[in-house]
Amino acid sequence: MYPMDLLGAWIPSCLTCRLRARLKCEAPLLSPLMAAVAQNANSTLSPASSPKIRRQPSSRRRGNSQLPPVQTVESHEAALKSIRAYLRSRTNYDAFPVSFRVIVLDSKLEVRKALQCLLLNGVVSAPLWNSEKSRFAGMLTVSDIIHLIQYYYHTATYESAAADVEIVRLENLRHIENFLGVEPVPLLREHPTSSLFDAARRLIETHARRLPLLDIDTETGHEVIVSVLTQYRLLKFIAINCVKDVAHLHMSLRRLKIGTYVSASPNTPIQSPTDTEGEKSGENPFHPIATATLDTRVFDVVHMFSERGISAVPIIDENGVVVNLYETVDVITLVRLGAYQSLDLTIAEALNQRSPDFPAVHRLVVVEGEAEEKQGGRKGRLLGIITHSDVLRYIVGEVGIIGEASEEGEEEDTRFDS
C-alpha cells in the first residue's frame, strides 16, 4: 500500500503525463487551425499585407427571382397570345393523360340502366353508339334527363312514369324532345389530331360543354369514339402547361367583362326571383341572372334549366345573399330516387337529398364584399356568375356564336342521331 503523501504526489504526476501526451497527439490538428485563425486576424488588422486571392467563378445556377413580375397591360396581352399560340401547337390528344377511359352507352340501353352507369362511374354525360349502323349517335347529357322529367311531370302519374322509365330506351328520348318542342342541336364531333385551339373555338361557337373526339378505323372504315373533350379538361390543360403565362393574366374578371353580372345597383329593392314580368321590365335586381329561393319549387328551377339553357341557379335569401347553388346534376338524384312526381318539393328539401359525395361546383358566384357594403350594399349579395365557357371564350378570343346566346353563355350539346 502507498502512503497518503506518496499517493497524493502520484496522482498529479500521472494526470500531467496523460495531459501532455494528449496535447502532443492533438497538436497536429490544432496548429493549422490556430495558424489559420492567426493569419485571418493579421490580415484583418493589416489589410495591406493580406495576400490577393483570385476567386474562381461559381458553377452554381442562380435561383429564380422571387420578386413578382411586372404587371402591365402589355404583359397581360402577351401572355394571352402565348397561350393561344400554345393551343394551336397542341392536338386534342395532348389534353388527355397517357391512360384514360371513356364510357360509351348503346342507344338501345334503357334510361334507368344508363343513369345507373353514369352514377357508378362518376360522370354526368356519355357518348351514344348505334350498334346497328356502327356509328356515333350523339351524347346523353343532363338536359336529356331534364326533358324526361318535364315530360313525365305533365303527361304521366308517378306509377306510370316509374314503370315507363324501366323500358324506355335512349334512342326514344328524341321523340320526347319533339313532343316538348325542343329544337334539336346538330351533331358535333372533332378529330383527335386537330388543334386544341380549333376545338376550343368549336365549343364556344356552339355553346357546347363537351366535344366528342372521333377517329376512323383504317381496317373497317367505321367510326371510333376516342374520348370526349370538355371545357373543364381544356382549361385544366392550360392551367398546368401554361403556368408562367397564366401568372401574367393579372387583370380583373369584371374589367375584362368575363362572366354575367347583375344590371341593377346594390340598393335596388328585391322582388320575387321568379317574377318573369319583373325580369322583362328590368325591375328584378338580379336580371339577367336566373335566381331562386329555398322555398322555390324544384320544377320551377328545372323549367329555368330547360328554357334558358343554363346549368345552375344561385339560391338566395330574402336579402339577396347567396346561400347555395342548385345544379342540373341535382336532377339526376331525383331520377335515381324515382322522384318524378317530387318536383313539387322545395329547393331546401331537394338539397337535403344530396349525397355526401356530391361533385364539386365548376362555376364561380360573385358576391358583394366589404367595399360594396360600405356603399349601402350587403355582404354576400349576388353580383354575378362566372362559368367555364366565360373564361374559355376570353382565352380563345372573339368568335361568332352559332345560334342565340344564352344568359350564362352555356347550352347543352348534341343529343341523338336520327
Side-chain angles (χ1 to χ4, degrees):
M1 295 182 63
Y2 294 97
M4 291 301 296
D5 54 348
L6 296 178
L7 183 61
W10 177 80
I11 292 177
S13 62
C14 293
L15 291 177
T16 303
C17 294
R18 291 183 181 180
L19 182 58
R20 289 176 180 175
R22 185 174 181 181
L23 290 175
K24 288 181 180 180
C25 295
E26 295 180 356
L29 299 176
L30 292 176
S31 298
L33 178 61
M34 298 304 296
V37 173
Q39 183 178 359
N40 292 335
N42 295 332
S43 61
T44 305
L45 294 176
S46 56
S49 61
S50 60
K52 295 183 179 181
I53 301 175
R54 181 173 297 178
R55 297 183 59 185
Q56 296 294 333
S58 176
S59 60
R60 295 187 305 174
R61 294 182 179 180
R62 291 182 176 270
N64 296 329
S65 176
Q66 300 298 324
L67 296 177
V70 179
Q71 305 288 9
T72 61
V73 177
E74 290 75 15
S75 64
H76 184 101
E77 292 295 333
L80 193 60
K81 292 180 181 179
S82 178
I83 293 176
R84 293 172 181 173
Y86 183 79
L87 292 179
R88 289 189 177 95
S89 65
R90 292 294 182 269
T91 66
N92 295 322
Y93 267 131
D94 297 329
F96 292 88
V98 176
S99 177
F100 62 90
R101 65 176 182 175
V102 56
I103 307 299
V104 181
L105 303 177
D106 194 299
S107 59
K108 295 291 184 181
L109 190 65
E110 292 83 2
V111 173
R112 173 60 66 85
K113 294 181 180 179
L115 290 178
Q116 291 177 350
C117 181
L118 294 180
L119 293 171
L120 290 176
N121 290 277
V123 295
V124 295
S125 64
L128 298 179
W129 181 257
N130 189 327
S131 56
E132 295 179 351
K133 301 179 181 180
S134 297
R135 67 177 185 179
F136 174 65
M139 293 286 298
L140 174 65
T141 65
V142 181
S143 287
D144 302 310
I145 310 304
I146 291 177
H147 297 153
L148 183 67
I149 288 180
Q150 288 181 308
Y151 174 77
Y152 284 138
Y153 184 82
H154 289 296
T155 63
T157 62
Y158 172 78
E159 290 76 12
S160 60
D164 193 26
V165 78
E166 297 289 346
I167 59 176
V168 64
R169 301 181 185 273
L170 296 176
E171 60 184 358
N172 296 329
L173 292 180
R174 180 65 180 272
H175 304 294
I176 295 177
E177 292 181 344
N178 294 334
F179 176 83
L180 296 174
V182 178
E183 184 178 356
V185 183
L187 287 175
L188 298 178
R189 65 188 71 192
E190 196 73 24
H191 197 270
T193 58
S194 62
S195 70
L196 279 172
F197 187 82
D198 293 338
R201 288 178 65 93
R202 192 78 181 275
L203 287 170
I204 298 302
E205 288 174 351
T206 57
H207 293 291
R209 297 188 185 93
R210 51 194 62 85
L211 186 60
L213 304 180
L214 273 65
D215 202 350
I216 301 297
D217 191 338
T218 56
E219 296 182 358
T220 62
H222 294 161
E223 294 177 333
V224 178
I225 301 176
V226 177
S227 189
V228 178
L229 180 67
T230 62
Q231 293 182 356
Y232 172 75
R233 182 177 291 276
L234 183 54
L235 291 174
K236 183 178 179 180
F237 177 81
I238 296 174
I240 294 176
N241 295 277
C242 304
V243 178
K244 293 182 179 180
D245 294 324
V246 172
H248 286 280
L249 300 178
H250 63 280
M251 299 177 68
S252 65
L253 296 173
R254 192 157 192 177
R255 180 182 177 183
L256 299 173
K257 298 181 180 179
I258 298 177
T260 304
Y261 298 90
V262 298
S263 56
S265 62
N267 296 326
T268 304
I270 299 176
Q271 297 180 358
S272 174
T274 57
D275 187 4
T276 307
E277 296 180 357
E279 288 194 10
K280 292 182 178 180
S281 62
E283 296 177 358
N284 186 353
F286 305 107
H287 179 77
I289 300 176
T291 58
T293 66
L294 291 173
D295 297 327
T296 305
R297 291 191 313 161
V298 171
F299 181 76
D300 294 332
V301 179
V302 170
H303 183 67
M304 294 180 193
F305 292 153
S306 178
E307 184 182 35
R308 296 173 177 242
I310 57 179
S311 59
V313 172
I315 308 301
I316 60 176
D317 61 10
E318 63 277 4
N319 297 317
V321 177
V322 179
V323 296
N324 213 318
L325 200 69
Y326 194 77
E327 306 181 67
T328 51
V329 182
D330 290 299
V331 179
I332 297 182
T333 303
L334 297 179
V335 179
R336 182 188 63 180
L337 299 176
Y340 310 103
Q341 293 298 317
S342 298
L343 300 182
D344 291 327
L345 295 175
T346 64
I347 294 296
E349 296 171 337
L351 290 176
N352 291 332
Q353 299 183 10
R354 275 182 175 176
S355 60
D357 56 346
F358 183 77
V361 178
H362 290 159
R363 56 194 54 80
L364 296 176
V365 178
V366 184
V367 298
E368 296 180 6
E370 296 180 357
E372 289 80 8
E373 188 176 16
K374 293 179 181 178
Q375 299 177 1
R378 184 179 293 273
K379 189 175 182 179
R381 191 183 186 190
L382 178 65
L383 274 183
I385 187 169
I386 302 172
T387 63
H388 285 160
S389 55
D390 295 327
V391 180
L392 190 61
R393 183 183 295 108
Y394 174 76
I395 293 178
V396 172
E398 295 295 334
V399 294
I401 305 299
I402 298 177
E404 185 178 355
S406 61
E407 271 113 331
E408 263 78 6
E410 290 191 356
E411 191 170 300
E412 284 291 352
D413 52 346
T414 294
R415 311 297 190 276
F416 307 97
D417 189 8
S418 57

